[in-house]
Amino acid sequence: HCSLSAFRSVLQWLNRVQSFLYCNENGFWGAFLESQRMCVCHTGATLCQRPIPCVIGGNNSCAMCSLANISQCGSCNKGYKLYRGRCEPQNVDSERSEQFISFETDLDFQDLELKYLLQKMDSRLHIHTTFISNEVRLETFFDPRWRKRMSLTLKSNKNRMDYLHMIVGLSMKICQMRNSSVDPMFFVYVNPFSGSHSEGWSMPFGEHGYPRWEKVRIQNSQCFNWTLLLGNRWKTFFETVHIYLRSRAKVPTVMRNDTGQGPVDLSDPNKRQIYIKISDIQVFGYSLRFNADLLRSAVQQVNQSYTQGTQFYSSSSIMLLLLDIRERINRLAPPVAPGKPQLDLFSCMLKHRLKLNNSEMIRVNHALDMYNTEILKQSDHLTTKLC
């Protein structure tokens, strides 16, 4: 006679022993599940389960088990805190992050409130910007058939280093000559923290859920309010907004050969129909307090440790803080197509507002990625270069 129990594997025997040790309580029996570290009691209740010992290891396992209770942790690994005998990921104190960048402000309105305030052109959302253009003058009629360039800029990266600026909407007041066939078309590029035009990004109107311009006619006039409401989902940092105007006008054949950009001729009734003027252009948003020196100090601390080859994650609080700030900034990154990696807005801020060079930015991001994957056991932080 050959017993079947002789052919059981080591794992099966281990499971029987664990079930006997941990799932035999109150006169009830059960089977131990290694993957979930719990008992499945034959009665359907959890009455059969005894305290299950803590596990020492990486991720959210214990650094040391409690001497008073074998089922609980006595201390945790780096990046984790002890809570009711269990190790949980350590979160950054939001108040501490606010010392670096004031993400929370009194102007974080709900979208319906934002829409109402933008319609009323509420002064609380006005951001004073400088209008610059060699091709367009406000309150002056011009021919929009050729490319026109305008920009609204803050220059705060030089003059107001203690603030970052958020755009939540954009508006223009556009007036047309009577019976005009022109329907202006705008391309808008945003520089989040300044830099060259190539480091900006284009607003993808109507794509990936991104909003479109809303055009409303002003009563008893040939003028229209054009409003772009980004709201809380699409709000983002900005330093300069570049606006390029092209026309969708159906230009009569006779006029197609007229490619010059000469002076406006309002005496010719045929040509007059295509002219428009921009009476007003305004960025809506608010400013966030920004302590560049404090943040630079934290970043350089990580950079220095990494360069010296020391344990760059030895200062857990600094790493967690910077990971939190990076995540919150990149959450405000420009939209991308579904399935594409998020754009790296955090590195743009390091470059243009903290004045880090490319090597320093790479080291800081690599240190944060290593801490995130090796210590916190989180998934890789995949982004695409923007600046």
Side-chain angles (χ1 to χ4, degrees), residues 167-181:
I167 177 173
V168 297
L170 189 64
S171 79
M172 285 185 278
K173 183 180 176 183
I174 300 175
C175 300
Q176 300 171 317
M177 299 298 291
R178 290 193 177 279
N179 303 320
S180 172
S181 60

Side-chain angles (χ1 to χ4, degrees), residues 100-153:
F100 293 80
I101 303 174
S102 58
F103 289 102
E104 310 296 332
T105 74
D106 295 335
L107 296 174
D108 286 327
F109 297 105
Q110 296 293 324
D111 279 350
L112 285 176
E113 294 175 303
L114 270 180
K115 189 167 186 177
Y116 174 79
L117 292 174
L118 284 175
Q119 287 171 343
K120 299 294 180 183
M121 306 293 179
D122 193 283
S123 60
R124 284 174 292 177
L125 292 177
H126 278 212
I127 292 185
H128 178 71
T129 52
T130 305
F131 176 83
I132 299 172
S133 177
N134 293 325
E135 301 171 4
V136 173
R137 290 184 181 179
L138 298 181
E139 290 290 1
T140 302
F141 278 98
F142 63 92
D143 183 343
R145 285 178 297 166
W146 295 275
R147 184 179 173 104
K148 298 290 190 297
R149 294 176 293 182
M150 301 164 273
S151 68
L152 296 166
T153 188

